[in-house]
Amino acid sequence: MRIIALKPDHDGTIAALDASAAELIYSYEAEKDSYPRYSAITPTTVLDAAGRLDAIPDVIAIGGWPKTAMARDSAVAAGYEGIAQGSEVVGEKTFFGRKVHFYSSTHERSHLWGSYGMSPFPAGMPCYVLIWEGVFGDFYEIDERLQVVHLGKVMASPGDKYAFLYALADPNKRWLHVEDAGKLMALCAYGQTASPDRDEQALIDFLLPRHGILLNSLSKEDLRNSPYHNIGVTHQKFTNLARRVSDAIFDSFHTFAKKNLTKGFPLLIAGGCGLNCEWNRRWVETSLFSDVFIPPCANDAGSAIGTAVDAMRHFTGNAKIKWNVYLGQPFVFDELDRTELEVHPLDYGQVVSALLDDKVIGWVQGNCEIGPRALGNRSILAAPFSKATHERLNRIKNREGFRPIAPVCLEQDVALHFDWARPSPYMLLFQKVLDSRLEAVTHVDGTARAQTVSREQNPRLFQLLTSFKAKSGVGVLCNTSLNFNGTGFINRASDLLTYARATGLDGFVINDAFYVLKTASRAASIRQKS
């Protein structure tokens, strides 16, 4: 049985499952291939996804969604909210002249079953699930018979609250923007940990209880008398506030969990707030759970997978899948103007020498990653030793200077450089940096968001890190996503060359070839002669 699932609206994604093998075939995200971030499904995505299947699927599954953000009871398919009876739609549709099964379940369920299906725990092991995102802030329990119990709503819209806070302080913004939640996470590191003062507590008391639907219509002008209105996002008074609001949100959920989640089950984390590395590390450190799992596509990019898993659960009774993180779109090698390029067979020593000469290199291998984090198949890589490299990478990415750059590290060496001794393959946890040499990847508070790499997980990136360690003594590199500002990963050769020219990349690797821009090569030759 083949299942194809579509996630409507923003973060549009098409996922395909082989239910007979309980295996993810692919997950194609509409924003990948340099489309705007959070894109809805595009005709290109549909064609690419359809082209990967050799027959019409047996099940078409649609994730539930509201027709308008302000009216969640105006439903697309199964709608946005609900886990009980009536939160799924089952029937038949005619698809290109063939009768197929139709399945739809709510967006809420897509998060729940996506995190469960992708988790490494065996079928039948009960789990807790935390869904926290732009609407939900809820805990659940899935028992050994796949029965779901809603344990309670802690807070509506924790993700929207996070994003709204950034907009409140930014003089250039009137409304919240989804991407600002990640920026606020970076700014929290600049804030001082302390009990809230009177102004901070007043804003916490105003913001945290607000319902999500009201929050979507909340204008920052409603808070024009606040001392934080247009104060500037890097102002110390605001970064202190950001830290304390972030702590207050987490503490609300932790207090609930400590009281109500007492059975020691593993915790699964889903929703956009599952990309908050500070909160994820704190969940691990609570010791309330036997383990904690966050999928690499915890945000809505994983919702199509979740709907497909839910459909598989409905038709087969199984809700566990095999998958890996490199099941996105394959790279498109279209026409490439080579007049400005020197092309070499991939030699790891040559790439390492370039990196140690402070070159910044694009790195493309195979299919792109699922989820929003570059994990070694659509990455920009650089040596990790210099603050100047951190500054250059943020200029290349056209990002604010306060944004951190993440490291990628050999899995076996992670405890040498960071206060972490376990795999972290999806770059979803903060660690304290122990190695003072790693200036480019050390955030202002001494943390980093490291990805660990093993030979089995990503052989070529593992080999590059191993070669870099042989020459530098350190199996760590800077790793940031290969994308134009405001778009998903670059996924075709012509776009990559355009990007390299525009941003000043020194070269790029595509699979087995190393492309060096001649301008970069000439500059290196001049430096050597001088």
Side-chain angles (χ1 to χ4, degrees), residues 1 3 59 61 103 105 306-316 318:
M1 175 182 278
I3 300 170
V59 181
Y103 183 84
S105 59
T307 300
V309 170
D310 200 4
M312 185 177 75
R313 177 208 54 78
H314 173 84
F315 289 106
T316 72
N318 178 31

Side-chain angles (χ1 to χ4, degrees), residues 6-57:
L6 297 89
K7 193 275 179 185
D9 209 85
H10 70 77
D11 289 299
T13 310
I14 302 176
L17 278 183
D18 180 345
S20 302
E23 187 169 5
L24 183 65
I25 301 170
Y26 60 72
S27 179
Y28 284 3
E29 298 162 34
E31 70 173 40
K32 304 292 170 69
D33 196 15
S34 301
Y35 284 94
R37 291 289 309 277
Y38 318 110
S39 288
I41 292 170
T42 65
T44 302
T45 318
V46 173
L47 285 172
D48 288 348
R52 280 287 302 278
L53 297 181
D54 57 7
I56 291 175

